[in-house]
Amino acid sequence: MAAIELDGIVRRFGDTTAVAEVSLTTERNEFLVLLGPSGCGKTTLLRMIAGLLEPSEGRILVDGQDVTTLPPRERDLAMVFQNYALYPHLTVERNLGFGLSVRKTGKQEIRRRVEEVAELLDLGHLLRRRPKELSGGQRQRVALGRAMVREPRAFLMDEPLSNLDAKLRAGTRTRLISLHRRLDTTFVYVTHDQIDAMTMATKVAVLNQGRIEQFGTPVEIYDEPASAFVAGFMGAPPMNLLPAELGAGYDDEVVVRAPGVEVALPLRAGADPGIRDVLLGVRPEHLVPVPADHDGPVLRGRVDIVENLGNEEIAQIEIGDLRVNVRGSRPIRLGPGDITTLAVRPEHIHLFARQSGRRLSWESAPVPALVS
Ligand code: ATP
C-alpha cells in the first residue's frame, strides 16, 4: 500500500558517511530495489526506513506521514532479515503466529491468517516442523510468512535470497514477484545482485558510496545507464567500457577513437563540446562477429577464451591491452586465437565522460561512415 518518500537522508557513523543525501519517492505498491556493491549504504538506508536507526539528517515519510522519529513498531512496516531470525524452539505454525500473539490478536484470527499465509507460501505441510528440520529455502519462506501475517504497509527485505542456491533463488524470485502482485503492498528490497533487480523491481535505485547514481525502471537502467558506474554494474558480463577520445569529424559528427575502433557519431546539439576523454560503452550482446570487410562501426581483436553457458557463449576478445566480452547464441563461431571483426550498431554505442563518469547524450541517427 504505502508510498515511501526519502527526503535528503544522510547517515554518518563518526567520520564515515554511510548515506550521503538520498532523496527518492516511490509510488504505492512499488517493488523498489536498493542495488549496489558492498558498503554502498543499502542496509543503512533500509534500517532507517524500518526505524532501527535514526538518520543524521533528512525525513522519512510513509503515505505522507513523517515517521522519522517513530519507533519501528509504530511504523507498520515488516522487516525480513538475511539470516531469517526464526525462533528455533517453536514450530513453523507458532513462528508464523508469534508476532500476532504478542499483539494479543485472538486465537481464531491468528489461525485464519497463518493458514492463509501458509497456503500462499506453500508451507501447509510444514506447520508442525521446527526451523532446524527445514531447508534454507523453506526457512526463508517462513521468515517471509512471519512478516506477512501482520499485513504490514510495506515489506523491507535485506538480501533475503543470499543464502539460497541458484535454482532456489530463481524459484523464490518468481514467488516474490507473484506475491507482490497478489498482496498489493510496497516492497523495499536490498541486494547487490543485479539479476534480483532486473527480474523483480518496478523501480531500482543504484547506490554508490552512499549516493543514488540512478533511479529508474530496470529497463531504463539497463538501456540508458546514467553513468559508467551503473553501466559497469548492470549486466552479466557488464557493459564493455573502452577509453576513447572524441575528435572533430565532418559536419556535426564527432569521431570516437579507441584502439582498434574509430566511429563517427552525430552528436546532439547541447552535448558538452569541451569533453575529449570518454568511455565508449557497448553491451556484450551488441557486438556481432562479421566479415572483415563489413561496412559500419567495428572493433577488431584476437579471441582469447570462449566460455560455454549452454544456450549462449561468451568470448573474451583482446584489443591491444583491452579486453571486451561478446555474448551470443551458441555456437558463437569464434575460437581461441581467431582474429575477429565485431560490428556494433551506432544506436548501441554509449558514451560517458571519462572524468565524471556521467552519460553523454548523442543522436542515434544512422551514421554515414565509419572506419576501423
Ligand atoms: P553490504 O552489501 O556489504 O551489506 P551495504 O551496502 O549494506 O553493504 P552498509 O552496511 O549500509 O553497506 O554500510 C555502509 C557504510 O557504513 C560502510 O562503509 C560501513 O562500514 C559503514 N557502517 C555501517 N554501519 C556502521 C556502524 N554501525 N558503525 C560504523 N560504520 C558503519
Side-chain angles (χ1 to χ4, degrees):
M1 280 174 287
I4 293 175
E5 186 179 345
L6 306 178
D7 177 17
I9 297 292
V10 177
R11 173 67 208 208
R12 287 180 282 268
F13 294 104
D15 292 343
T16 310
T17 303
V19 173
E21 187 130 16
V22 164
S23 295
L24 63 81
T25 306
T26 70
E27 306 283 319
R28 279 164 191 271
N29 300 348
E30 203 91 79
F31 196 135
L32 168 68
V33 170
L34 303 174
L35 176 71
S38 180
C40 71
K42 333 178 265 297
T43 297
T44 304
L45 200 52
L46 193 74
R47 288 170 61 83
M48 288 190 282
I49 299 172
L52 301 170
L53 199 63
E54 257 194 48
S56 310
E57 289 172 34
R59 293 186 317 152
I60 299 166
L61 292 95
V62 178
D63 284 335
Q65 178 200 6
D66 189 336
V67 300
T68 317
T69 54
L70 279 190
R73 65 179 179 284
E74 288 174 32
R75 297 190 182 200
D76 197 13
L77 310 171
M79 181 100 170
V80 184
F81 290 96
Q82 185 170 6
N83 55 7
Y84 316 132
L86 300 179
Y87 300 110
H89 56 291
L90 298 184
T91 60
V92 167
E93 183 170 12
R94 296 211 37 219
N95 260 288
L96 289 174
F98 190 80
L100 294 179
S101 48
V102 169
R103 281 182 177 72
K104 309 261 184 282
T105 309
K107 281 216 168 81
Q108 292 281 351
E109 178 64 8
I110 295 181
R111 181 164 312 136
R112 184 190 70 74
R113 289 211 221 161
V114 166
E115 276 172 10
E116 195 177 281
V117 164
E119 157 88 33
L120 264 176
L121 292 173
D122 193 17
L123 290 170
H125 58 300
L126 302 172
L127 289 174
R128 307 263 161 270
R129 294 207 198 162
R130 285 173 217 282
K132 69 171 190 300
E133 298 160 330
L134 302 175
S135 71
Q138 290 166 339
R139 272 182 233 164
Q140 192 272 335
R141 268 147 54 203
V142 178
L144 187 60
R146 210 172 51 172
M148 280 167 55
V149 291
R150 285 177 38 206
E151 300 175 353
R153 289 197 283 184
F155 291 99
L156 311 178
M157 304 188 197
D158 192 354
E159 306 255 9
L161 309 188
S162 61
N163 295 337
L164 307 184
D165 65 37
K167 195 168 165 219
L168 256 179
R169 266 184 101 95
T172 312
R173 278 189 199 116
T174 314
R175 193 183 288 271
L176 283 176
I177 295 168
S178 76
L179 270 179
H180 176 247
R181 274 202 208 120
R182 288 169 68 174
L183 293 176
D184 252 7
T185 308
T186 301
F187 283 36
V188 184
Y189 184 105
V190 158
T191 184
H192 62 273
D193 184 339
Q194 49 97 25
I195 299 175
D196 285 352
M198 283 305 297
T199 50
M200 295 188 289
T202 55
K203 283 280 175 56
V204 184
V206 185
L207 291 167
N208 181 22
Q209 299 187 344
R211 288 181 195 283
I212 295 184
E213 287 268 333
Q214 188 167 6
F215 180 55
T217 65
V219 167
E220 283 162 358
I221 284 176
Y222 192 84
D223 289 351
E224 288 206 10
S227 67
F229 174 86
V230 176
F233 199 76
M234 296 296 278
M239 185 182 284
N240 298 300
L241 293 168
L242 307 173
E245 266 187 18
L246 295 183
Y250 305 104
D251 298 331
D252 283 341
E253 38 174 69
V254 298
V255 179
V256 184
R257 293 194 186 86
V261 60
E262 184 166 320
V263 188
L265 301 175
L267 272 197
R268 187 193 290 163
D272 185 344
I275 291 174
R276 265 181 78 80
D277 294 337
V278 296
L279 291 168
L280 180 149
V282 187
R283 292 229 173 256
E285 62 272 28
H286 291 149
L287 286 169
V288 182
V290 288
D293 60 356
H294 177 82
D295 192 16
V298 292
L299 278 70
R300 279 192 224 291
R302 195 184 69 85
V303 181
D304 184 18
I305 296 166
V306 180
E307 283 176 80
N308 176 4
L309 303 183
N311 59 338
E312 291 188 321
E313 285 179 319
I314 294 176
Q316 285 188 20
I317 316 287
E318 293 173 342
I319 301 177
D321 293 341
L322 303 171
R323 262 173 192 269
V324 298
N325 288 301
V326 179
R327 199 170 91 189
S329 302
R330 188 164 64 96
I332 197 168
R333 298 191 200 289
L334 293 173
D338 291 353
I339 301 296
T340 182
T341 302
L342 301 163
V344 52
R345 303 225 311 257
E347 65 268 31
H348 289 148
I349 291 175
H350 306 255
L351 291 181
F352 304 96
R354 213 181 306 168
Q355 204 177 6
S356 68
R358 300 320 293 173
R359 180 184 190 83
L360 300 176
S361 42
W362 59 280
E363 213 165 78
S364 62
V367 175
L370 71 29
V371 204
S372 76

